[in-house]
Each structure stands twice: as structure tokens, then as C-alpha cells.
Amino acid sequence: MKIAVVGTGYVGLVSGACFAESGHEIACVDKDASKIAGLKRGVVPIFEPGLTDLILANAAAGRLSFTTDLKQALAGTELAFIAVGTPPRLSDGEADLSFVFSAAKEIALGASSDLIVVVKSTVPVGTCDAVRRVFARERPELDVTVVSNPEFLREGSAIKDFQCPDRIVIGAQDARALQAMRRLYARQEAAGVPLQFTANRTAELIKYAANAFLALKVSFINEMADVCEQADSDIAEVSIGMGLDHRIGQAFLNAGPGFGGSCFPKDTMALLRTSQEYGVPMRLVQETIFINDSRKRRMAQKVIDAFDGDINGKTVAVLGLTFKPDTDDMRESPAIPLIETLQKAGAIIRAYDPVALEKARAIFNDVEMFADPYECVCQADAMVMVTDWSVIKKLDLKIIAQSMRTRVLVDLRNGFDRERVSEAGFTHIQIGRPPAIAADQGNNIHKVTSATVARGSAPVELAKSRRRGDQA
């Protein structure tokens, strides 16, 4: 099938590359000439494991192209996908549909024949109806069918999610559209992936409902973690015990600093606004948003409490800035309010992330950025793990212990092994678990001793020596 994908953001690029991998002829369209020029050279503007290789392979095979010329991309096209952003409006949190309607209008003006328009962007209930009205107004002579086909891609595993999804939701009741969408996803259907056909409005609502429910699970387990800290219990074991019940499942039951990214915060707010528009209160969703927002800032208090409530002048090394590993997305990342709150309390912030430093520099003020985690923690008073990148979890804690002024590790993802942390001499502060005080330091853990400083007198060279050995 010949397909045009309007929008070369996260959803558009992943969808276009994966459709091409399935054998379809894809033209990805964007107004940003510099982005298109970069994509033609193989420069992918987002970080997603495997995406660059997939784009290069399919472009070389002639199945994937990039252009700013929408009219040319639409020539002979059977399907046109709208995959543009729907960010929350600053005024009220509702999804901003201006990019969707602009894309619909341009498709209408550029189309030379009847068309099936597929809305891939995450949109509120009734958006497909509004898109249909755009085509009726701009090109009433065209026979245009509008389909809702929401994406369920997780950043960091988007290609796998696209190629082997749990389900594919298709909001269409027109026979021509149903047949076309079935051909589009023939490979997935042959592999046993369920195709759910619904009305437009139902498909639109499924996406919001799914994300809101997953966000609710995250907020619930985070509140349970707070209970565990007070009740001398272990949230990791509670999560396992809950998840073994097949009615609940283990997914999204990992306690942490709160959810972020481009989906959960935006989609929960959009669903809440939709429910209010229809006069239906959704108190669980409203409370989920409140719990998550307040939790992110409270994570800074864990760091402050480690220094008896006074962190003024202390140096804190923050490891991991993206909202989750294997992505460069910092939208709504817990690291942002954490760093801002610590700075207000007088802390000096250093930060490390394997892929997002350039984005971080545009967000933070007075934060020293490091491309090397060992250099980041050098002479720090505390180390805070915000994002559980594998490279962070594999750090040599004994090397780090020698370089820090005070051995305090605030582990907001419960990503470090407690025994390994204890052996390195750290106070280990986790989520939903009582603090583990290193035996060799006991109650004096927060006191910077001359011996500690002496051991850390040449920490960077020691760290570099260790890394040279790892590379060999």
C-alpha cells in the first residue's frame, strides 16, 4: 500500500518506519525543512533503540522517503496518516488540536483523489468527527473516510510494541476503510494480534482510558510505598504479591518518583477535561494527577531528610534526567521538579544522563552537566538515581564511594542491589523500604571525615582507570 504519514515526530517516525518494514511504500511529510533534510541524510531527531537502523534500511530499500511536499506525497496514496503532536494547552490542560486540524486542512487541499484519512495522534473524543467536517468544508467533492487508529507505543520499546502489539484498535465502520486497515495490518493479524474494530469515538476513548488506568496503577503503588515506609514493610515484595494475582498483573507496579513523559500526564489531564465537558466527574483520575504532581516534588525531601533537613551548600549528583530509560524524552520528568526543589533549598546540583544532556541544558539553570557518571559524583555529598538506566545501575559503587565526600545514595527507582550498596559503605535510601545504614559508618554516615576526603583525593583518575579496564 502507498501511504503518506504527516508528522515526523515520535509517532510519525516509528509508524512510518514500521509500516515500511512491513512492505508498504511510505512517504513521511513535515513542514520542517531542516528536519526532513536531516532524515534524508540518516539523521534521526529522536532517540529510540533500533529506530535509526530501521529507517536507514527501509530508506535504502526504497520503501521509506521524506519530503516537505505534501501534495506530491499524497499522489496515488490510499491512506494518509495524521501523526502530529497534541500537546496540552497551557490555559486549561486540554489537548491542543490545532496541529491536527491544520494537517487535515492541508491534506484536503493537497489530495487529488478519494482518500482514507487515519488519525494516529492521541485525540479527545469527537476529534474524528471534527476532522470529517474539515474535509466536508474544504473539499466536499471528495469521498473521504476518517479512521481512528490510536498508538500504544512505549518510549524505549516502540518498535517492538508496533510490530508485536497487544491489540490494534481501529475506529471505522465504513467497509472500504475496514478492508484497507485490515490489509495494512495483515502481518500483525496473521501473527495472532487481535484487531478491534469500533466506532471512531470508542477508539478515541480507549486510548485515554488505557493510559489513565495505567497511571492510576502507578500512583496507587507509589502511595503503597509511602505506607510501607511507615509500616516497616517492603514495597518490592508487596508489588510481587499483588502482581501474582492475574487479575492485577505485575506491569506498572514498580514504585518510583512518579510518572512522566509525553503520554500519561497529558492523557490523564485530557481525559479529565473530557469528562468535565460531559458533566461526568472522574475523581480517581483527578486524584491520580494530584498524587503524581505532589509526589515528584516530595522526592526532593528524601534527599533533604538525609541531611537532617539542611542541604544548603551540599553538592548533589543527580543520575538520570529522562522520565524513563532508553529515551531522550524529558517531558514531565521527575528529575525536573526534584532539581528545582533542591536548588531552592540551597543544594549545588551536578547531573548526568547518557543521552539527554543537550535537552537538559535548555531546561536547567546553574546545573553542571557531565557526560561521565564517575566525574559527576566526584566530591558529591549525595548521589540520587532518578532514572534507572542500565549504565547507572552497573556503576562500580566502591569506586564511587572513594570519590564522594559523604556516602549517601538516594535510590528513587530501587535499582541498586542493597547488599552491594551496603558493601560500598553507603546509606541507602529507597522507595517503600526503610533506610539501610552501612555497618562501617553507622550513625556517623552524614559526617565528612578526613579519611573519606583523603580516599577521594584523586577520584577522577581512579574512575578513568577503572573504565579503561572495563573497555578492554
Side-chain angles (χ1 to χ4, degrees):
M1 301 177 73
K2 187 176 181 182
I3 302 167
V5 178
V6 180
T8 58
Y10 185 81
V11 174
L13 283 179
V14 172
S15 299
C18 289
F19 281 140
E21 182 70 10
S22 295
H24 303 292
E25 183 182 344
I26 309 298
C28 289
V29 187
D30 202 292
K31 287 183 175 180
D32 189 334
S34 62
K35 182 190 285 189
I36 292 298
L39 285 165
K40 287 181 176 180
R41 298 193 308 270
V43 179
V44 180
I46 60 174
F47 178 83
E48 176 65 31
L51 181 58
T52 297
D53 291 342
L54 199 65
I55 287 175
L56 292 175
N58 283 280
R63 293 188 297 268
L64 181 62
S65 61
F66 302 97
T67 182
T68 58
D69 190 337
L70 177 58
K71 188 171 184 179
Q72 182 185 54
L74 290 172
T77 293
E78 185 174 357
L79 297 172
F81 275 78
I82 296 177
V84 296
T86 55
R89 293 194 305 231
L90 295 177
S91 58
D92 55 13
E94 288 192 28
D96 182 353
L97 299 178
S98 59
F99 298 111
V100 172
F101 295 141
S102 176
K105 181 177 180 178
E106 291 180 25
I107 292 171
L109 296 176
S112 57
S113 59
D114 296 341
L115 198 61
I116 298 171
V117 176
V118 185
V119 179
K120 197 71 173 170
S121 304
T122 299
V123 295
V125 175
T127 301
C128 283
D129 294 339
V131 168
R132 195 175 292 109
R133 289 193 292 271
V134 171
F135 280 91
R137 181 181 66 246
E138 300 295 337
R139 295 292 299 278
E141 75 278 12
L142 288 182
D143 182 6
V144 175
T145 298
V146 180
V147 175
S148 174
N149 179 216
E151 53 87 12
F152 298 95
L153 306 177
R154 296 169 299 169
E155 294 186 54
S157 58
I159 293 172
K160 179 183 177 183
D161 289 345
F162 193 101
Q163 295 175 336
C164 305
D166 294 326
R167 80 293 201 193
I168 295 172
V169 176
I170 299 169
Q173 294 175 303
D174 175 272
R176 177 171 65 109
L178 292 175
Q179 184 181 30
M181 296 301 288
R182 182 155 260 147
R183 282 191 287 123
L184 177 66
Y185 288 112
R187 177 177 292 189
Q188 287 89 341
E189 187 174 25
V193 175
L195 269 58
Q196 181 185 10
F197 292 97
T198 74
N200 284 157
R201 286 173 168 251
T202 302
E204 291 166 340
L205 194 55
I206 286 172
K207 172 60 188 278
Y208 280 133
N211 277 355
F213 186 78
L214 294 175
L216 188 151
K217 286 185 73 174
V218 173
S219 288
F220 176 84
I221 204 64
N222 283 338
E223 287 206 314
M224 282 302 305
D226 293 342
V227 173
C228 286
E229 290 177 10
Q230 300 302 316
D232 196 25
S233 301
D234 189 330
I235 190 59
E237 294 179 0
V238 171
S239 296
I240 292 171
M242 290 175 59
L244 288 173
D245 186 330
H246 70 276
R247 297 169 301 174
I248 298 174
Q250 190 64 56
F252 293 89
L253 285 183
N254 296 317
F259 58 77
S262 63
C263 292
F264 284 9
K266 174 175 68 73
D267 293 354
T268 50
M269 182 59 73
L271 179 59
L272 182 61
R273 293 290 179 251
T274 297
S275 71
Q276 292 170 344
E277 179 184 338
Y278 285 98
V280 180
M282 296 196 72
R283 297 184 181 90
L284 285 175
V285 175
Q286 186 171 6
E287 196 64 20
T288 294
I289 295 169
F290 173 78
I291 291 168
N292 192 64
D293 288 345
S294 60
R295 181 173 189 79
K296 290 179 182 179
R297 296 206 174 267
R298 283 196 297 110
M299 290 299 98
Q301 194 61 45
K302 282 187 170 292
V303 185
I304 296 170
D305 288 346
F307 294 90
D308 298 323
D310 183 9
I311 202 168
N312 185 44
K314 301 293 185 182
T315 299
V316 179
V318 177
L319 304 185
L321 300 174
T322 55
F323 85 97
K324 63 179 288 189
D326 296 321
T327 179
D328 61 351
D329 195 343
M330 289 189 60
R331 284 174 288 183
E332 302 288 341
S333 171
I336 298 173
L338 175 114
I339 288 175
E340 291 173 347
T341 304
L342 290 176
Q343 285 180 319
K344 288 178 182 178
I348 301 165
I349 306 297
R350 300 171 141 212
Y352 161 79
D353 191 277
V355 302
L357 291 183
E358 287 305 312
K359 289 189 175 182
R361 288 189 178 97
I363 295 172
F364 297 115
N365 294 316
D366 299 323
V367 174
E368 190 174 5
M369 302 291 174
F370 290 84
D372 185 306
Y374 290 93
E375 294 180 13
C376 181
V377 300
C378 175
Q379 296 298 300
D381 296 291
M383 178 173 75
V384 183
M385 201 253 273
V386 181
T387 314
D388 50 342
W389 286 91
S390 59
V391 67
I392 295 174
K393 292 191 291 184
K394 293 177 181 178
L395 291 174
D396 190 319
L397 295 179
K398 291 182 179 179
I399 294 291
I400 287 176
Q402 295 181 39
S403 74
M404 292 181 67
R405 281 202 294 260
T406 315
R407 297 175 183 175
V408 175
L409 170 54
V410 183
D411 185 356
L412 298 182
R413 297 286 183 176
N414 294 349
F416 288 103
D417 178 74
R418 301 192 89 180
E419 184 176 347
R420 191 163 68 94
V421 174
S422 178
E423 288 175 353
F426 281 92
T427 289
H428 193 192
I429 300 168
Q430 295 181 285
I431 298 290
R433 289 172 166 176
I437 308 297
D440 63 334
Q441 295 191 29
N443 293 329
N444 294 320
I445 187 67
H446 303 316
K447 295 182 180 179
V448 181
T449 67
S450 59
T452 302
V453 175
R455 285 198 302 272
S457 59
V460 174
E461 286 305 312
L462 185 61
K464 288 181 177 177
S465 174
R466 169 62 189 232
R467 290 195 302 282
R468 284 195 292 268
D470 288 345
Q471 291 169 353

